[in-house]
Amino acid sequence: MDIKVVKLYEGGFMIQPFALGGNSDKTFDASIRYPSSLQNYLIDTGKEVILVDTGLPKETPEIPPKEGQKIYQGVRIKDYVSVL
């Protein structure tokens, strides 16, 4: 079995409370950001190929990061057709 990451976006982030499942709890620090990207997976079992999580539609507009944002998907670098 072969599993490949289909990377469509890069440069994304999520703040610590969002990444760790918290909210406004004092345990988490919203000023800490973790790198994040929108990824999907292609699994080749040898008999079939399975695409897991088709992600966002190609018509989804680019959304720039802004202050207070919990998660940012990043900048689109590829579309499905060119990745596959």
Side-chain angles (χ1 to χ4, degrees), residues 10-20 28-37 63-74:
E10 66 184 2
F13 66 83
M14 61 180 72
I15 62 170
Q16 188 183 64
F18 185 86
L20 301 179
F28 301 105
D29 184 348
S31 68
I32 297 174
R33 290 182 176 183
Y34 296 113
S36 175
S37 66
I63 301 172
K66 57 186 170 220
E67 189 65 36
Q69 194 166 349
K70 293 181 180 182
I71 186 168
Y72 168 59
Q73 68 194 23

Side-chain angles (χ1 to χ4, degrees), residues 8-10 57-62 74-79:
L8 303 172
Y9 288 78
E10 66 184 2
K58 69 179 181 177
E59 299 83 16
T60 301
E62 295 287 334
V75 177
R76 186 184 321 234
I77 56 173
K78 300 257 183 187
D79 61 54

Side-chain angles (χ1 to χ4, degrees), residues 40-82:
N40 302 291
Y41 300 90
L42 195 63
I43 303 169
D44 185 349
T45 67
K47 292 184 179 185
E48 59 188 350
V49 177
I50 304 164
L51 176 63
V52 179
D53 187 1
T54 56
L56 301 171
K58 69 179 181 177
E59 299 83 16
T60 301
E62 295 287 334
I63 301 172
K66 57 186 170 220
E67 189 65 36
Q69 194 166 349
K70 293 181 180 182
I71 186 168
Y72 168 59
Q73 68 194 23
V75 177
R76 186 184 321 234
I77 56 173
K78 300 257 183 187
D79 61 54
Y80 267 108
V81 174
S82 60

